[in-house]
Amino acid sequence: MTPHTPQKLALALLFAIGVPAAHAATLQLIDLDEGTQLGLDDPTPAQPVGGNPGVTLGEQRLIAYEYALAQWGAVLQSKVPIKVTASFAPLACSATSGVLGQAGPTDIFNNFPGARPAILYTGALANAIAGRRLDDDPLGVDIQTRFNGRIGSPGCLERLGWYLGLDGNAPVGTSNFLNVVMHELAHGLGSLGLIDRETGALGLGRGMTDIYTHNTRDITTDLPLDSPWTTDTQRLQMLTSPGRVVWNGPSVRRDASLILDRDERGYLTGADVRGRVQLYTPARLEPGSTFSHFDTALKPNALMEPAESPDLQAHANLDLTPALFADIGWHLNRGTAKLDGCDTGIPVVETGGLIPGANLLAHQQLCLAAHSGDAAGRKNCVIQHARRLNASAAISNAQLNRVLACSIATGRQQSVKQ
Amino acid sequence: MVRRPQPGAPPRFTGPRADAPPTAVVLRSRRIRIPFPNGTAKPDRTWPSRQLAYRCLGSELKVLPENPGGTHSAEITTMKHLHVTCVAACLTALLPCAVLAAAPPPGTAAMTITIDPVTGERRPATAQELAVLRGPESETSDAAATSSAAAALHSAPLTSAEAVTGTRRLRDGTQAMKMPLSAMPLLHASVDANGNASIQHADGGHEPRNAAKGHTP
C-alpha cells in the first residue's frame, strides 16, 4: 500500500476541481509515479522552498506540477478536462548530459465540429474547440509529460538540480522545474508544428497542414509554409535557414511589439522587418527543436525558445505563448481573477503574457489544499501571496486591497454559513 | 529579462524579491494508507478483485474514480502498453492472464505494477517477480530504457508513417491519429567542464547543439 499524506490527496482533489474562473480549463494530473516511491511519489524528506510547502521531494514535485497545470488551466478556456500524464521516472543520463524530460500531445484530430477544413489540431485544443471529448476512448490521455527523476543523483548530472520553488528564484546551477513544466505543457497544448522534419511533408505525412504550421510564413517567398506551391524539399530548406520562418498570427505580432526589445534600427529583435517573430530554424536541422520554438534571437528570452533560460519566470510571465495559443484557436481567459466569486480586478492573463491572476488562482488552490479545514490559514496564505505579488510589482496596491477585501468578504460569508 | 509590456508604463516586474519570506504554509508529514471503498484502509476483497479484473482485461491498470464512500479521488495509471502484474487479481477473477502477463514487446513498456495477492494492494515488485515478468530483455542500457519508457507513455506509433497508417475515423466523422514518438520533443541537459549547464530540446536520435543563449552559468 502506498503511503500518502492527506494533504497530498487533498491537493490532488482540489487541483482537480480546477481554477474557479469562467470556462477555465481543467488540467487533470494522472500520476504515473503513484505507488512507486519514486519521482512524484518520492518520500525523501525535503525542506519547503520558494513557496512550495511540500515536505518530501515527491510532494514538492507534485505541487510544482499541479501549480503549472493550474496556471495553464486558468489562462485557457475549455469545457473539456485535459488529461495529463506525469512521471518522474529515470531516463537516460550521464554525468555530463541527459534527458531532462519529454512531453507532447498524444492525439491529433481533424474534420471535427468547429475545426477549419483540412487542418490538423492537437488533442486538447481540438476538444476545446469542439466542446466535447472527441476520442471515444474513456481512458484517453491528451498530454504526456515525463521528467528525469535521476537528475542530481550520482552519475546523472550531479551538478544540475531541479529548483522546485514556485517563485522563480532558482539558484544558479539549478533548473527551474516550474518553467520547464510550463514550457513542456505548452507543447502538449499545441505549441508544436507537425511538419515531418525528415521529409518536409505536412501533417507528419498526412498531406494536410496543422494549425500551428498554418500560422507560419517564409519571409523569402512570403508564402505560408503550408502553401500548395511549396514542395516538401523547399519546406525543409526553409526549416534550415535561420531567420527565414516567422509566426504570422496577429496576436503574437501584437504582443511582440509590446514585449520585444528594438535594435538600433528600430526593428524588434528576433522579428522580421514587419514585426513577425522568428521561429527557431537553425542551419542544421534539430528535429526536437526546429520550428516548434521561437528563435533564440528574441530579446528578452521567451518561454518557448528551445533553451531554458535562467531569466524566465513562468510563474508570472508567459510572454508570447498565450498570444500564440490565441492564434491557433485557444480562447484565453481575459477576465479577472475571482476568489470564491469575489472579483479581485486582477487580470488572469494580460496582453503581453503576464499572468498575475492565473498565478493568484493557482496559489489559491495550493492554499486550499494546504489549509483544508482551516479558513483562517487559507485566507492568510492567499493574502501573504498577494502581498508578495504586490512587492514584486506584479499587482498594484489597489489590486492588493481588492484581494484583502475579498478575503474579508469570503470570511464573513463563511461565518454566516457556519 | 521579464518585463511588462511597454505601453501605459505599468510598473516594471522584476519577479519576487529574493528576500521575500517563505510561504507560511507547511504540510504535515503524517502519512496514511490509500483508503479503499468506505474510507477504510483495509481493502474490500470483492471490489478490488472485480475492478482489477476489468483492468487486466484491458491490459491496463486503473483504480477507478468511482469510489462510493471512499475518500480518495482517483489513482490512475493507464497506458495501452503498461505492463501490469495482475496475476493475483486474475486468479481471483478466474481470468486468463498468461497473455497479459507476458513481457511487453521490445521498446515498449518498462513500467510494472504489482498487486499483492494477499492484500489486493499495489506494492513494488520483488526482484524475483520482475525477473520472471521481464526475462532477459530487462537488461537494457540507459538509452534503451529511455526509449522504452517513452514508448510506455501511451500506445504511440514510433514513426510518422505508422501514425498516418493508423489514422482512424471516429463515429462523427472526425479523423484521429496518434502522435508518433519520433515527433515528440525531448528536453536535454548538459554540463560542460566549467560547470556551465545548458538545457534545450533535442530528439532521441540527434545530439543537441548549444543554443546561442540560454546557458545557466
Side-chain angles (χ1 to χ4, degrees):
Chain A
M1 179 71 70
T2 309
H4 286 262
T5 62
Q7 290 78 15
K8 190 174 176 181
L9 293 173
L11 184 73
L13 274 168
L14 286 166
F15 271 115
I17 291 168
V19 179
H23 304 298
T26 300
L27 281 77
Q28 295 177 342
L29 182 71
I30 300 173
D31 181 0
L32 297 181
D33 289 343
E34 194 80 58
T36 64
Q37 303 279 299
L38 298 170
L40 298 170
D41 200 42
D42 190 332
T44 305
Q47 289 294 319
V49 58
N52 187 329
V55 293
T56 68
L57 211 46
E59 280 182 356
Q60 290 191 351
R61 289 166 171 166
L62 186 64
I63 287 169
Y65 234 111
E66 298 277 22
Y67 208 82
L69 295 175
Q71 287 199 151
W72 274 128
V75 169
L76 301 174
Q77 293 186 20
S78 179
K79 295 176 183 173
V80 186
I82 300 166
K83 300 179 183 179
V84 182
T85 60
S87 163
F88 236 95
L91 299 175
C93 199
S94 72
T96 56
S97 69
V99 174
L100 272 189
Q102 181 182 38
T106 59
D107 294 291
I108 300 163
F109 296 101
N110 67 287
N111 196 35
F112 55 87
R116 297 169 74 169
I119 291 184
L120 301 169
Y121 293 76
T122 52
L125 172 58
N127 289 339
I129 291 171
R132 62 180 173 82
R133 188 158 200 85
L134 292 167
D135 198 331
D136 45 13
D137 179 1
L139 303 178
V141 170
D142 302 304
I143 298 172
Q144 51 184 355
T145 62
R146 193 177 184 84
F147 295 89
N148 196 340
R150 285 178 59 196
I151 298 289
S153 66
C156 176
L157 291 169
E158 290 178 54
R159 299 162 76 174
L160 179 74
W162 290 112
Y163 176 68
L164 295 169
L166 310 172
D167 57 1
N169 290 328
V172 171
T174 63
S175 175
N176 187 325
F177 183 59
L178 185 63
N179 284 352
V180 174
V181 176
M182 291 294 287
H183 176 112
E184 296 303 320
L185 285 173
H187 283 311
L189 290 164
S191 181
L192 189 75
L194 298 180
I195 292 177
D196 190 307
R197 307 300 196 274
E198 292 183 1
T199 66
L202 292 171
L204 300 173
R206 279 285 296 282
M208 71 176 74
T209 189
D210 64 274
I211 191 64
Y212 180 98
T213 302
H214 196 58
N215 276 279
T216 62
R217 274 202 173 237
D218 169 47
I219 62 171
T220 303
T221 61
D222 202 28
L223 288 174
L225 263 71
D226 55 6
S227 162
W229 291 279
T230 302
T231 65
D232 292 352
T233 305
Q234 289 172 326
R235 205 171 286 116
L236 274 182
Q237 194 176 9
M238 295 169 184
L239 294 186
T240 51
S241 303
R244 185 169 167 179
V245 178
V246 295
W247 188 264
N248 195 46
S251 299
V252 167
R253 211 162 160 180
R254 178 202 60 206
D255 280 17
S257 68
L258 305 176
I259 294 173
L260 297 180
D261 291 342
R262 293 184 182 273
D263 62 18
E264 63 278 4
R265 297 174 301 165
Y267 296 135
L268 298 173
T269 58
D272 71 352
V273 294
R274 294 165 65 180
R276 298 176 298 187
V277 178
Q278 295 167 0
L279 296 180
Y280 186 60
T281 53
R284 183 179 168 188
L285 194 73
E286 298 178 15
S289 301
T290 292
F291 189 54
S292 290
H293 294 93
F294 288 122
D295 200 347
T296 53
L298 271 65
K299 290 182 181 176
N301 291 325
L303 177 65
M304 293 314 292
E305 289 184 30
E308 201 263 353
S309 302
D311 56 349
L312 295 177
Q313 297 193 336
H315 68 290
N317 190 344
L318 305 179
D319 49 74
L320 297 172
T321 318
L324 184 149
F325 281 151
D327 283 338
I328 64 174
W330 281 103
H331 289 286
L332 306 184
N333 276 317
R334 289 294 187 189
T336 51
K338 296 176 179 61
L339 299 176
D340 297 324
C342 178
D343 192 349
T344 64
I346 301 172
V348 172
V349 54
E350 298 179 11
T351 299
L354 292 181
I355 53 164
N359 176 264
L360 180 66
L361 290 170
H363 208 88
Q364 185 203 22
Q365 298 304 308
L366 177 59
C367 293
L368 283 168
H371 297 276
S372 58
D374 174 13
R378 278 201 305 273
K379 188 172 82 172
N380 187 51
C381 175
V382 172
I383 290 173
Q384 290 304 317
H385 186 67
R387 289 191 194 284
R388 285 193 290 274
L389 290 176
N390 176 249
S392 62
I395 64 174
S396 66
N397 290 338
Q399 289 168 331
L400 172 63
N401 289 334
R402 293 286 292 273
V403 173
L404 298 176
C406 283
S407 297
I408 293 168
T410 304
R412 278 187 192 141
Q413 286 173 359
Q414 287 170 347
S415 298
V416 170
K417 284 178 185 174
Q418 289 166 358
Chain B
M1 185 182 299
V2 180
R3 305 174 300 180
R4 279 186 175 277
Q6 292 155 359
R12 184 182 179 86
F13 177 58
T14 56
R17 296 177 306 180
D19 60 346
T23 180
V25 295
V26 177
L27 291 178
R28 288 166 293 180
S29 60
R30 185 169 67 86
R31 304 184 78 86
I32 61 168
R33 295 154 70 90
I34 297 176
F36 270 73
N38 306 318
T40 65
K42 182 180 178 182
D44 176 312
R45 294 305 177 95
T46 304
W47 181 83
S49 298
R50 187 171 63 249
Q51 297 301 333
L52 289 171
Y54 161 76
R55 294 166 214 143
C56 289
L57 275 173
S59 287
E60 290 163 343
L61 180 74
K62 183 177 194 289
V63 176
L64 300 176
E66 299 90 82
N67 189 358
T71 56
H72 78 285
S73 59
E75 173 198 8
I76 301 173
T77 309
T78 171
M79 287 297 141
K80 296 288 185 190
H81 293 293
L82 181 66
H83 196 54
V84 179
T85 307
C86 57
V87 175
C90 295
L91 281 177
T92 56
L94 299 176
L95 290 171
C97 289
V99 175
L100 299 170
T108 58
M111 190 176 296
T112 300
I113 294 178
T114 305
I115 310 299
D116 190 293
V118 177
T119 64
E121 299 170 355
R122 288 170 56 183
R123 61 164 170 75
T126 65
Q128 189 179 6
E129 287 168 333
L130 286 174
V132 170
L133 194 63
R134 291 179 174 171
E137 287 179 2
S138 63
E139 299 298 320
T140 55
S141 65
D142 268 354
T146 298
S147 173
S148 61
L153 287 173
H154 71 140
S155 56
L158 294 177
T159 65
S160 298
E162 288 179 30
V164 172
T165 303
T167 300
R168 63 196 195 285
R169 187 177 291 275
L170 306 181
R171 266 177 266 175
D172 64 352
T174 299
Q175 289 186 311
M177 67 183 277
K178 289 289 183 187
M179 181 79 173
L181 287 173
S182 61
M184 197 72 69
L186 283 178
L187 195 64
H188 198 277
S190 59
V191 180
D192 65 21
N194 297 321
N196 296 324
S198 67
I199 298 168
Q200 59 189 107
H201 274 277
D203 77 342
H206 295 72
E207 282 300 311
R209 280 152 297 286
N210 286 335
K213 59 182 179 181
H215 294 220
T216 52

